[in-house]
C-alpha cells in the first residue's frame, strides 16, 4: 500500500510498451519516486538485465526494491552521465522520465509544495541542499521575481505580484505559506483561484529546483547514452516541459529549429514512435486523477 500513498504511476502500461524492453537490456528510470514504473520494468528483465533509478528525494529510498538487478542513485537526473560513467555503463537501451510531482510531496505539509497547508516555504526536491522558496521570495530582485511568475507560471500580472512581494518583505521576511498567500491572493481571480494559485506555486517550485535546466541537461545526456534503437519515454504535465521534450524529440534541439540536409529532409537523431501525443483514458483518470494532464512522448534513437 506504500506505493499508493507515495505515488500512483501514470500511464504505466503505455510507458512500459514505449520502452520496448529487451530482457537483457540496461535501462534508466530517472524519476524513481514511489517506484511504480521501476518495479514494472524489473518484471520484464532477466538476470542479465539491469535498471538504474534516480531520485534526489531521500523519502524515495523507502520504496527501493531488494533486487540484484536494480541500482538506486540518490541524485538529480542532471548528473545522469556522471553516474553512468561511475557504474561503467557506456550505453543504455532505454530511459524513462515521469516529470510529475508525487502525491507524497503535495501531502507533506512541511515540504511547502501545496497551498492547501501552512507549511514552510521550502519546495526543494532535495531537502539537503539549494535555495528554498522563501530564499527566492526574500532575496530575488523585483524583475527576476516577475520573470519567474511569468515564464514558469504564465501569470500575466507577474509584475504586480512581484511588486507586492517586494513591499511585503520589506516589513517581514517570508517564511510560511500563509504569509505568501496573504500577499498573492488579491491578484488571483476568485473564479479560478485554485488554478492560478497552482500556477504561482508551480513557478516557484520550478525555480527552486531549476527544473527546466535539469530537464535539458538530462535529455542531452540521454541522447549520448542511448544506443541506436534505444527508446526515450517521457511523461510531461505542463506546457513548458512538454515543449522542451517535443522540440528535442522532433529536431534534436530545444528550440525546435529543424536542420535539413541537401534533399530537404529534417536531420534529427530520433524517430518518433508516437506522432500523436498519448494521453490518459477516462478509466486511467478515474483511477489516477493526476494523470489527467499527463502527456506521453516516445522516440527511438536512429
Amino acid at each position: 500500500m506504500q506505493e499508493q500513498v507515495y505515488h500512483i504511476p501514470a500511464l504505466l502500461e503505455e510507458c512500459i510498451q514505449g520502452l520496448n524492453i529487451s530482457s537483457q537490456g540496461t535501462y534508466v528510470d530517472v524519476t524513481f519516486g514511489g517506484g511504480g514504473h521501476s518495479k514494472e520494468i524489473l518484471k520484464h528483465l532477466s538476470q542479465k538485465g539491469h535498471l538504474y533509478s534516480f531520485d534526489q528525494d531521500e523519502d524515495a529510498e523507502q520504496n527501493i526494491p531488494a533486487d540484484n538487478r536494480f541500482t538506486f542513485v540518490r541524485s538529480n537526473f542532471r548528473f545522469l552521465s556522471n553516474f553512468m560513467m561511475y557504474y561503467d555503463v557506456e550505453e543504455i537501451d532505454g530511459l524513462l522520465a515521469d516529470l510529475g510531482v508525487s502525491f507524497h510531496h503535495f501531502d507533506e505539509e512541511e515540504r511547502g509544495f501545496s497551498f492547501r497547508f501552512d507549511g514552510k516555504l521550502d519546495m526543494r526536491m532535495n531537502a539537503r541542499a539549494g535555495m528554498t522558496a522563501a530564499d527566492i521570495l526574500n532575496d530575488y530582485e523585483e524583475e527576476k521575481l516577475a520573470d519567474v511568475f511569468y515564464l514558469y507560471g504564465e501569470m500575466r500580472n507577474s509584475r504586480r505580484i512581484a511588486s507586492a512581494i517586494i513591499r511585503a518583505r520589506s516589513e517581514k521576511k517570508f517564511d510560511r505559506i500563509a504569509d505568501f498567500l496573504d500577499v498573492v491572493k488579491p491578484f488571483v481571480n476568485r473564479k479560478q483561484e485554485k488554478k492560478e494559485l497552482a500556477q504561482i506555486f508551480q513557478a516557484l517550485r520550478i525555480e527552486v529546483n531549476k527544473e527546466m535546466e535539469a530537464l535539458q541537461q538530462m535529455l542531452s545526456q540521454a541522447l549520448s547514452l542511448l544506443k541506436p534503437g534505444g527508446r526515450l519515454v517521457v511523461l510531461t504535465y505542463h506546457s513548458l516541459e512538454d515543449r522542451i521534450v517535443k522540440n528535442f524529440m522532433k529536431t534534436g534541439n530545444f528550440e525546435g529549429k529543424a536542420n535539413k540536409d541537401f534533399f530537404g529532409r529534417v536531420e534529427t537523431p530520433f524517430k518518433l514512435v508516437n506522432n500523436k501525443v498519448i494521453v490518459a483514458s477516462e478509466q486511467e483518470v478515474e483511477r489516477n486523477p493526476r494523470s489527467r494532464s499527463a502527456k506521453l512522448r516516445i522516440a527511438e534513437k536512429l
Side-chain angles (χ1 to χ4, degrees):
M1 291 298 292
Q2 183 62 46
E3 178 186 301
Q4 292 285 348
V5 173
Y6 192 103
H7 178 73
I8 302 173
L11 294 167
L12 180 59
E13 185 177 334
E14 293 86 347
C15 287
I16 299 303
Q17 289 177 352
L19 281 171
N20 192 30
I21 298 172
S22 166
S23 63
Q24 299 184 23
T26 300
Y27 293 87
V28 179
D29 177 356
V30 295
T31 47
F32 179 70
H37 287 112
S38 283
K39 290 168 187 174
E40 193 64 30
I41 292 170
L42 286 169
K43 292 178 183 178
H44 293 76
L45 296 180
S46 69
Q47 283 301 317
K48 292 185 178 180
H50 204 87
L51 172 65
Y52 296 86
S53 291
F54 284 67
D55 207 296
Q56 60 184 329
D57 184 1
E58 65 179 337
D59 290 347
E61 294 185 27
Q62 66 190 341
N63 305 310
I64 295 174
D67 194 314
N68 60 10
R69 302 166 300 162
F70 179 82
T71 300
F72 181 78
V73 183
R74 172 101 184 260
S75 175
N76 188 301
F77 57 48
R78 74 195 320 159
F79 303 113
L80 171 65
S81 290
N82 289 356
F83 279 97
M84 291 299 95
M85 190 182 304
Y86 175 78
Y87 288 110
D88 293 322
V89 177
E90 294 182 359
E91 58 182 12
I92 60 176
D93 294 274
L95 181 144
L96 170 67
D98 179 352
L99 302 178
V101 180
S102 298
F103 290 132
H104 166 76
H105 290 118
F106 285 120
D107 290 340
E108 287 282 309
E109 295 187 27
E110 288 305 308
R111 297 297 293 271
F113 286 95
S114 175
F115 53 82
R116 292 182 292 127
F117 308 113
D118 180 27
K120 280 189 169 293
L121 283 161
D122 194 315
M123 298 194 191
R124 291 173 298 171
M125 293 292 188
N126 179 357
R128 300 175 303 166
M131 295 182 72
T132 66
D135 292 332
I136 286 169
L137 293 172
N138 290 324
D139 299 340
Y140 273 25
E141 295 179 356
E142 184 172 336
E143 186 174 350
K144 194 171 182 181
L145 276 173
D147 286 345
V148 167
F149 293 116
Y150 182 75
L151 293 173
Y152 300 149
E154 300 179 290
M155 298 298 296
R156 294 183 178 179
N157 56 352
S158 62
R159 292 191 179 280
R160 293 172 60 207
I161 293 172
S163 179
I165 289 169
I166 298 296
R167 289 196 302 273
R169 79 186 190 193
S170 66
E171 297 179 10
K172 179 187 176 184
K173 292 289 185 182
F174 286 100
D175 179 54
R176 310 286 298 183
I177 289 172
D179 301 329
F180 182 52
L181 288 177
D182 286 343
V183 174
V184 298
K185 271 192 173 181
F187 301 96
V188 170
N189 185 333
R190 285 190 177 182
K191 293 181 180 178
Q192 47 185 9
E193 182 176 273
K194 286 185 178 179
K195 178 187 176 185
E196 292 192 10
L197 285 177
Q199 289 173 243
I200 289 171
F201 272 64
Q202 170 187 289
L204 266 181
R205 190 200 77 227
I206 289 173
E207 179 65 16
V208 165
N209 297 288
K210 305 299 180 188
E211 293 178 25
M212 297 301 103
E213 295 96 324
L215 174 58
Q216 292 184 18
Q217 290 170 0
M218 182 274 289
L219 290 172
S220 296
Q221 294 167 43
L223 174 58
S224 299
L225 283 164
L226 283 166
K227 61 175 63 170
R231 293 288 182 88
L232 178 61
V233 178
V234 186
L235 274 165
T236 66
Y237 294 83
H238 57 76
S239 59
L240 302 172
E241 61 193 14
D242 187 59
R243 190 178 306 122
I244 288 172
V245 173
K246 179 176 68 175
N247 286 344
F248 188 68
M249 287 185 174
K250 283 188 173 181
T251 66
N253 60 65
F254 303 116
E255 296 76 32
K257 295 177 181 176
N259 297 313
K260 297 182 179 180
D261 63 16
F262 178 78
F263 300 101
R265 294 173 298 203
V266 175
E267 294 181 321
T268 173
F270 293 109
K271 175 180 75 175
L272 297 181
V273 174
N274 59 321
N275 286 309
K276 187 176 180 182
V277 69
I278 298 171
V279 297
S281 64
E282 291 182 11
Q283 293 83 356
E284 164 93 5
V285 173
E286 188 174 336
R287 181 184 70 87
N288 180 8
R290 170 182 168 277
S291 68
R292 184 185 303 277
S293 58
K295 292 182 178 180
L296 177 61
R297 297 186 183 276
I298 307 164
E300 182 175 294
K301 185 175 177 181
L302 295 171

